[in-house]
Amino acid sequence: MLDRLDLLVIGECVADIVRLPGAPDQVHPGGSPANVAYGVARLGHGATLLTQLGPDDNGRLIRDHLADAGVEVRTDGATAPTPSAAVTLDRAGRAAYAFEITWTLAPVSLDRTPHHVHTGSIATVREPGAATVLAAVESLRTSATISYDPNVRPELMGDHDAAVRKVERCVALSDVVKASDEDLDWLYPGQEPERVAERWLAAGPAVVLVTRGGDGALAVVPGGQVAVEALPTVVVDTVGAGDAFMSGTLHALASHGLLGTDGRERLRSVDRATVTDVLRHAAACAAVTVARSGANPPDEKELEAALARC
């Protein structure tokens, strides 16, 4: 039974330039896919990130950050500047973003087949790189399970209807999908997140997760819905919270032997108790992350400590 995951993440790295009133800018390594790779590696799994990084200070900062957690970085050799995002935090720690990003990922040969592939965010909607990501996922899904997080950034999504079609194509290719209630509200204005999750489930995934900030999280599976509350915590900022939730999800699913092609069928018949345990791990990862600055997810000991408190 799989417990240590060999994960391939395909997606962008972004230098988050955090701006607070009266304080100097702080640069943090970021990018939703990169954050997931980092978070999963911190939890003891093998992680490779296929991405683009420029030969600049921000690129070196991100490479060093990922290497510290044991993430193997693969690039297509592009030399454009490392993408950046100016992150402005309000008094509640909520983040607003202004991006400078290009995404032109070219195909890259892999030296091994991973157990699981994760993608999402800007990488799956911004062309021309999005076409490369989709082709890679389509080719790998016969030998690996797939997870996807749309991580909607309205400024970068382009035409709304075209973006929805791209998101729905990725959903249909995936075994595990995670989205925030804010993501779903942008994609399907006025529709209840639970109904959207049910519709996505019918399109192909085994599990659809919906995060709801301080209101906890919801999982929709063929057997129905499972909800958990958010863990009590003092919020410093929300940067990377959803990515930490995704990392915790993958960690827990791997621990239960539900990822990789050998776990795919078990995932499709997962019981409510296991889903609850997965949600608890994911929520605990998010709670640790929001309690400190930047996308800084827990390691295994910190996750165990957070779970012991709930």
Side-chain angles (χ1 to χ4, degrees), residues 234-258:
V234 176
V235 176
V236 173
D237 73 50
T238 61
V239 176
D243 305 324
F245 186 98
M246 189 78 243
S247 299
T249 295
L250 297 178
H251 170 68
L253 289 172
S255 298
H256 284 284
L258 298 173

Side-chain angles (χ1 to χ4, degrees), residues 9 11 18 31 36 65 91 116 150 190 198 219 230 261 280 292 294 296 305:
V9 179
V18 179
V36 173
H65 169 75
R91 292 182 179 180
H116 185 82
E198 290 170 353
T261 52
R280 286 181 62 251
R292 51 201 190 189
N296 188 4

Side-chain angles (χ1 to χ4, degrees), residues 207-227:
V207 180
V208 177
L209 306 169
V210 179
T211 58
R212 302 182 290 193
D215 293 326
L218 172 77
V220 178
V221 294
Q225 298 182 7
V226 179

Side-chain angles (χ1 to χ4, degrees), residues 54-307:
D56 48 31
D57 288 345
N58 286 340
R60 287 185 284 274
L61 173 71
I62 292 172
R63 280 184 181 275
D64 290 346
H65 169 75
L66 293 167
D68 283 346
V71 177
E72 178 184 348
V73 177
R74 299 284 301 276
T75 72
D76 65 354
T79 57
T82 300
S84 64
V87 185
T88 304
L89 302 175
D90 65 17
R91 292 182 179 180
R94 292 184 294 263
Y97 296 83
F99 293 93
E100 292 186 12
I101 182 169
T102 59
W103 181 245
T104 60
L105 187 73
V108 175
S109 297
L110 301 173
D111 55 8
R112 65 182 185 277
T113 301
H115 296 129
H116 185 82
V117 177
H118 174 78
T119 192
S121 194
I122 300 163
T124 56
V125 294
R126 196 163 181 85
E127 300 294 355
T132 301
V133 176
L134 183 64
V137 170
E138 288 178 329
S139 68
L140 288 166
R141 69 187 302 266
T142 59
S143 55
T145 43
I146 308 293
S147 59
Y148 169 64
D149 175 4
N151 190 47
V152 168
R153 295 291 178 251
E155 304 90 341
L156 299 172
M157 299 297 285
D159 177 77
H160 181 271
D161 291 345
V164 170
R165 288 192 294 271
K166 288 180 178 180
V167 167
E168 291 179 345
R169 177 60 178 152
C170 291
V171 168
L173 290 170
S174 300
D175 299 283
V176 180
V177 176
K178 172 256 167 192
S180 71
D181 52 2
E182 293 179 347
D183 293 337
L184 299 182
D185 186 59
W186 187 88
L187 291 165
Y188 309 102
Q191 298 187 32
E192 293 183 1
E194 294 86 350
R195 304 290 83 78
V196 175
E198 290 170 353
R199 191 164 69 245
W200 279 6
L201 188 75
V207 180
V208 177
L209 306 169
V210 179
T211 58
R212 302 182 290 193
D215 293 326
L218 172 77
V220 178
V221 294
Q225 298 182 7
V226 179
V228 297
E229 296 181 355
L231 273 65
T233 191
V234 176
V235 176
V236 173
D237 73 50
T238 61
V239 176
D243 305 324
F245 186 98
M246 189 78 243
S247 299
T249 295
L250 297 178
H251 170 68
L253 289 172
S255 298
H256 284 284
L258 298 173
L259 295 181
T261 52
D262 291 343
R264 178 172 274 146
E265 289 306 312
R266 291 192 295 274
L267 181 62
R268 294 194 172 277
S269 58
V270 64
D271 60 83
R272 295 176 66 87
T274 301
V275 174
T276 300
D277 185 63
V278 170
L279 286 172
R280 286 181 62 251
H281 280 75
C285 280
V288 171
T289 301
V290 301
R292 51 201 190 189
S293 180
N296 188 4
D299 60 19
E300 290 182 272
K301 290 184 178 179
E302 291 172 324
L303 175 57
E304 291 173 2
L307 288 167

